[in-house]
Amino acid sequence: MSTKIDLSLSRPNRIYRPSEPLEGKILVKSASSISHYGIRMAINGSVNLQVRGGSAGVIESFYGVVKPITILSRTLEIRPSGKIVSGTTEIPFSITLRNPKEDNSERFYETFHGTNISIQYLATVDIMRGYLHKSLSATVEFIVESDKADLLNPPISPEMVIFYITQDTQRYPILPELKSGGFRITGRISTQCSMLEPLSGELTVEASVLPICSIDIHLLRVESVLLGEKIITETSLIQTTQIADGDVCRNMTLPIYVVLPRLLTCPTVLAGPFSIEFKVAIVIFFQSELSRLHPKSDPLTPRLWMAMETLPLELVRARERRSQLVNCADRVGLLS
């Protein structure tokens, strides 16, 4: 049996705030005792930026990856040189993410996994075993959310925007029968939303010369990276939520309810070297012979049988409401 090392964090959801300690256990399983020259824990957080070839010109594509932005870099000695006995050994650790003795002007961005921008926090443990033996190492990612002191107080009333989609609002070519016969879809949707709340709204199909195939809500991320003196921006799809399948009864209100995915979204960030913004797109697919010959491919590519309205979306982090906390506690049996 070879020696195995693992990192176990104290919280199953792995969510921590900058002012809180990162706690857990180092688990070492070994068939025999091993000597070591110290056990060290490294905590690193960074903003990783890259520019894909399709988003930049020929010259910019040579650079590829932009220098990462360091958010956090700390190393702590967990144990000095010694021995680890055979069997399973648990070594507890606790590291404060934000050092109160240091300048706290550095901003802790929330964890985010995007296409060109990735904000990631990693905890790595190393058991140093000298030149004759390979060091033992384990890494785990933990999720960082904003400090409670920086959160907005609820309730955060969503900013609702009224929209309407007709043949005259489309920026791209549409089917001739749609252009001549027309269609009208109206509704409202929130353009500022708390990360703890769903994206909500409503939609009504008032008229349409062609039957409707489906209505989708696209959640989009807009990532911008500063490359030299040029800003490279790319829009990509996060998720699609279908709110109607098949033709829709006219003048019937359809609810819009979209749950935000945690790791693929974060509060809107407008920083110097980069920015992370979001958009929401209401997409209507119409039934036609042409649409049957060409099934859905890239949802962001305009089609003749498709109508779309795209709106900016600001995401914010707010405090949990007391009712949410009570419900969560009730689920795990903390309340009688």
Side-chain angles (χ1 to χ4, degrees), residues 135-290:
S135 297
L136 300 174
S137 179
T139 301
V140 65
E141 180 183 7
F142 60 96
I143 301 167
V144 169
E145 290 187 355
S146 302
D147 266 324
K148 292 183 178 180
D150 301 329
L151 301 182
L152 299 175
N153 291 319
I156 302 298
S157 57
E159 295 184 0
M160 305 296 288
V161 170
I162 297 175
F163 65 86
Y164 63 95
I165 307 173
T166 69
Q167 67 277 8
D168 298 323
T169 63
Q170 300 308 295
R171 302 177 183 177
Y172 302 97
I174 57 176
L175 293 170
E177 50 265 48
L178 286 175
K179 190 70 175 176
S180 59
F183 57 91
R184 183 178 176 85
I185 295 96
T186 61
R188 59 176 187 157
I189 193 168
S190 54
T191 55
Q192 184 189 62
C193 183
S194 169
M195 297 286 296
L196 300 175
E197 301 288 340
L199 176 65
S200 59
E202 59 185 29
L203 177 147
T204 302
V205 179
E206 297 183 1
S208 177
V209 66
L210 290 180
I212 290 175
C213 179
S214 69
I215 301 177
D216 297 340
I217 304 297
H218 291 336
L219 182 61
L220 310 172
R221 58 182 160 237
V222 183
E223 299 169 288
S224 300
V225 177
L226 180 62
L227 188 62
E229 297 181 354
K230 186 177 182 181
I231 297 178
I232 308 298
T233 300
E234 182 175 354
T235 301
S236 56
L237 177 67
I238 298 177
Q239 73 175 25
T240 298
T241 303
Q242 187 181 56
I243 65 170
D245 183 17
D247 201 12
V248 178
C249 295
R250 306 302 183 253
N251 297 314
M252 183 179 73
T253 301
L254 302 176
I256 297 175
Y257 189 95
V258 178
V259 178
L260 303 176
R262 172 57 194 93
L263 293 180
L264 302 181
T265 57
C266 69
T268 300
V269 178
L270 299 175
F274 71 97
S275 66
I276 303 172
E277 300 172 274
F278 300 93
K279 290 182 178 181
V280 58
I282 303 101
V283 184
I284 295 91
F285 293 94
F286 297 94
Q287 297 181 23
S288 70
E289 291 297 329
L290 194 59

Side-chain angles (χ1 to χ4, degrees), residues 71-74 97-106:
I71 301 174
L72 170 68
S73 181
R74 298 189 62 193
L97 298 180
R98 173 175 281 162
N99 192 338
K101 298 180 181 180
E102 296 178 354
D103 181 18
N104 291 335
S105 61
E106 184 64 50

Side-chain angles (χ1 to χ4, degrees), residues 218 237 240 285 294-303 305-306:
H218 291 336
L237 177 67
T240 298
F285 293 94
H294 302 275
K296 295 181 183 179
S297 53
D298 182 6
L300 300 183
T301 302
R303 305 291 182 181
W305 55 89
M306 183 178 85

